[in-house]
Amino acid sequence: YVGPMVYVGLSAHQGLCDRHRTLDIGRLFSKQRLLMRQSLTETLAEWLVQTRAAGFSEETLAIARDYTLDWLGSALAGHATEAGAMLREYAQLQPSGPCRVLGLSRGCGAETAAFVNGALSHIVEMDDIDRGSVVHPAAVIMPAALAVAEREAARGRDFLAAVVAGYEIAIRVGEAVGKAHYRYFHNTATCGVFGAAAAAGWLLGLNAEQFVWALGNAGTQAAGLWEFNREGAMSKHLHPGRAAANGVLAADLAALGFTAARRILEGERGFFAATAADAKPSRVLAGLGEAELKIKGVSIKPHASCRHTHSTIDAALRLRERAADLQNIDRVTVETYQAALALCNNPDPRTARAAKFSLQYCVASALRRGRVGLSDFSPQTIMDPNLRELMARVRVRVAPEFEARYPAAWPARVRVDWEDGRMLEETVEHPKGDPENPLTRSELEAKFRELTAFGGFGRETEAWLDWVNGLSLLSF
């Protein structure tokens, strides 16, 4: 017996030595599937320790750097909002510390910085999203990793590696919770906290046993309910912020020997049993160490609204290009999957937060204005009479064939019928920003510039770009 691991066919001495070698991760984890009495978090913990010893490729670190740029832009843009102003005020009331709060002149403690940066980065709805897990990984994992990296004076390369590891853990847990969980719980918060703890623990140099405790302590703090969406309330921003801060806390306590449940995921009264009626625990470990890293499948958002609206927006934009005119429309029909309707069927949004979760508003904006950007959610644009007249003609419904493909794909079909009998229709399987339809580097940088300008940081854009581009050589 070595730490929390039980090795079959390996002596305890061999197990200890293997932690300090560069390993063939795929071969090792094929053998580990034969292990007895090992919890899911124990296997994840051992993967984290062994992978940290082996390291990630330069290509993978470069991918993490691009996601860092995308996250940073979203966090800076959050400052221009009402909720962002409140978060800034909250940060100013907290004790000073070594960890930066983006956009402020002074730092805070690690948990406070992780909380505020996480909350800020989720406000404008342009942070990244993973389809299979329905998790916004950056908004939780980046703030936790940045806070710990700064406090511990880590290298930039280690920060990027911690981000990759955090994405891997959060997405794997998210893929396992099933559809029922998402009806009540926000996966970004409930599953993201595991990734935040993994990223923080990576930077703290936790051993396998401590990683088990970090993940266990994270899981017992998992929270985030969808009820806020009924009112378009600000609580959504709390979800990634608290998950990031709780991940830091979970890892810090684990480093001190603070124990936690080793079967926090699959236990009789654990995370899956409590929150996920149709959970598939086997997905947590499926392909671990062998399949492509999860960060390579994460989508980046070009539109400033809930990702569940993006296939609809892209379909509407295509129709706008094809249509001879957009006058005298009789009706617009949107077909998509059930989760999109559950969150985004709002025919009468009155606030920016509500409009970002309205299929009707987003499709109308795409058809009328040809965009659904940051500037399209002001009170004046939301209440535009011409836009609201078109919104009233939008009908949304579930398409069984799309529901069957969700969450592996997030498709939508938009049909426009004119009063004179004309009809046009477009279907989008992979909206812009999916791995199958990615943003180019120039498009990513253009998005970053738009976000920083919106947040009031236009003069600092190039300095931030240089900072991100140099992360691999940086020491915090």
Side-chain angles (χ1 to χ4, degrees):
Y1 182 81
V2 183
M5 292 290 295
V6 181
Y7 283 86
V8 175
L10 290 176
S11 69
H13 174 72
Q14 287 173 315
L16 282 168
C17 291
D18 280 347
R19 295 180 182 181
H20 303 287
R21 296 194 189 117
T22 300
L23 301 170
D24 180 339
I25 301 296
R27 185 174 68 249
L28 175 65
F29 273 86
S30 292
K31 293 178 181 178
Q32 285 183 346
R33 290 195 182 87
L34 302 176
L35 298 179
M36 303 292 290
R37 301 176 189 169
Q38 187 174 350
S39 73
L40 296 176
T41 54
E42 285 169 335
T43 303
L44 292 176
E46 197 69 16
W47 178 85
L48 286 163
V49 171
Q50 293 161 352
T51 306
R52 187 172 57 204
F56 294 115
S57 69
E58 292 298 322
E59 176 195 8
T60 299
L61 296 182
I63 292 170
R65 187 183 63 221
D66 285 349
Y67 284 108
T68 301
L69 181 68
D70 192 62
W71 168 77
L72 177 62
S74 287
L76 293 172
H79 279 274
T81 65
E82 182 184 13
M86 296 176 191
L87 288 163
R88 280 200 310 275
E89 184 176 357
Y90 171 82
Q92 297 283 15
L93 296 173
Q94 307 311 306
S96 297
C99 307
R100 81 180 74 191
V101 175
L102 296 169
L104 296 188
S105 59
R106 72 173 183 89
C108 292
E111 287 183 48
T112 299
F115 164 68
V116 177
N117 288 335
L120 282 169
S121 65
H122 202 49
I123 296 175
V124 300
E125 289 293 337
M126 294 198 78
D127 50 318
D128 64 16
I129 176 74
D130 177 73
R131 292 173 304 193
S133 63
V134 204
V135 168
H136 295 267
V140 182
I141 293 155
M142 298 279 185
L146 180 62
V148 176
E150 292 188 322
R151 188 188 67 193
E152 302 298 319
R155 299 183 306 164
R157 291 176 60 84
D158 294 331
F159 162 78
L160 293 172
V163 165
V164 176
Y167 273 54
E168 191 74 15
I169 301 305
I171 291 170
R172 285 180 170 278
V173 174
E175 288 176 336
V177 293
K179 293 182 180 180
H181 180 86
Y182 195 62
R183 176 172 173 78
Y184 298 101
F185 295 100
H186 188 190
N187 293 19
T188 297
T190 57
C191 306
V193 68
F194 293 97
W202 180 286
L203 289 161
L204 291 173
L206 299 188
N207 62 32
E209 186 172 40
Q210 291 168 326
F211 265 125
V212 172
W213 297 338
L215 295 172
N217 286 325
T220 206
Q221 298 179 86
L225 296 167
W226 278 116
E227 184 61 23
F228 77 85
N229 204 42
R230 189 179 299 273
E231 305 170 41
M234 295 179 183
S235 299
K236 186 172 192 277
H237 318 321
L238 285 177
H239 294 177
R242 284 313 319 162
N246 288 344
V248 173
L249 174 63
D252 280 345
L253 289 174
L256 297 173
F258 200 92
T259 64
R262 68 189 181 96
R263 297 188 180 276
I264 192 65
L265 290 172
E266 75 274 30
E268 182 180 354
R269 288 184 286 184
F271 179 66
F272 292 148
T275 71
D278 59 346
K280 295 178 174 58
S282 62
R283 291 182 177 174
V284 174
L285 304 182
L288 183 64
E290 299 171 349
E292 284 269 40
L293 290 163
K294 297 299 183 182
I295 196 170
K296 297 182 180 181
V298 175
S299 302
I300 290 177
K301 297 168 66 174
H303 309 303
S305 58
C306 176
R307 185 62 172 175
H308 290 304
T309 67
H310 282 214
S311 291
T312 296
I313 291 169
D314 283 1
L317 292 174
R318 291 181 189 177
L319 287 172
R320 192 174 194 274
E321 291 179 357
R322 292 174 56 195
D325 69 81
L326 290 170
Q327 304 303 313
N328 302 314
I329 291 176
D330 180 51
R331 64 185 180 276
V332 179
T333 304
V334 175
E335 294 182 299
T336 187
Y337 49 91
Q338 177 58 43
L341 267 65
L343 284 181
C344 301
N345 182 8
N346 185 349
D348 186 29
R350 299 278 166 166
T351 67
R353 289 183 295 279
K356 286 172 181 284
F357 283 80
S358 169
L359 284 163
Q360 291 87 344
Y361 180 84
C362 290
V363 72
S365 182
L367 288 170
R368 281 279 189 253
R369 300 193 188 108
R371 64 181 190 273
V372 186
L374 290 166
S375 62
D376 296 305
F377 293 94
S378 68
Q380 295 78 13
T381 54
I382 291 170
M383 300 308 296
D384 179 353
N386 290 329
L387 195 64
R388 298 193 76 83
E389 188 275 335
L390 181 57
M391 285 169 56
R393 299 175 183 273
V394 177
R395 299 292 180 267
V396 298
R397 65 193 184 200
V398 173
E401 68 270 29
F402 294 163
E403 174 65 16
R405 295 206 290 279
Y406 174 81
W410 295 23
R413 181 182 299 115
V414 176
R415 171 174 166 154
V416 177
D417 287 273
W418 279 264
E419 293 175 357
D420 61 9
R422 287 178 294 143
M423 183 276 289
L424 287 175
E425 181 179 277
E426 282 283 353
T427 300
V428 170
E429 188 83 8
H430 296 293
K432 184 68 173 176
D434 272 6
E436 298 86 353
N437 186 16
L439 272 69
T440 65
R441 176 68 189 190
S442 62
E443 288 173 331
L444 181 63
E445 290 189 4
K447 176 187 172 182
F448 180 74
R449 289 187 170 90
E450 178 189 7
L451 288 165
T452 54
F454 179 83
F457 298 96
R459 292 183 179 179
E460 302 171 31
T461 298
E462 298 309 313
W464 279 118
L465 274 167
D466 290 342
W467 180 80
V468 173
N469 289 335
L471 268 173
S472 293
L473 303 175
L474 174 73
S475 290
F476 288 96

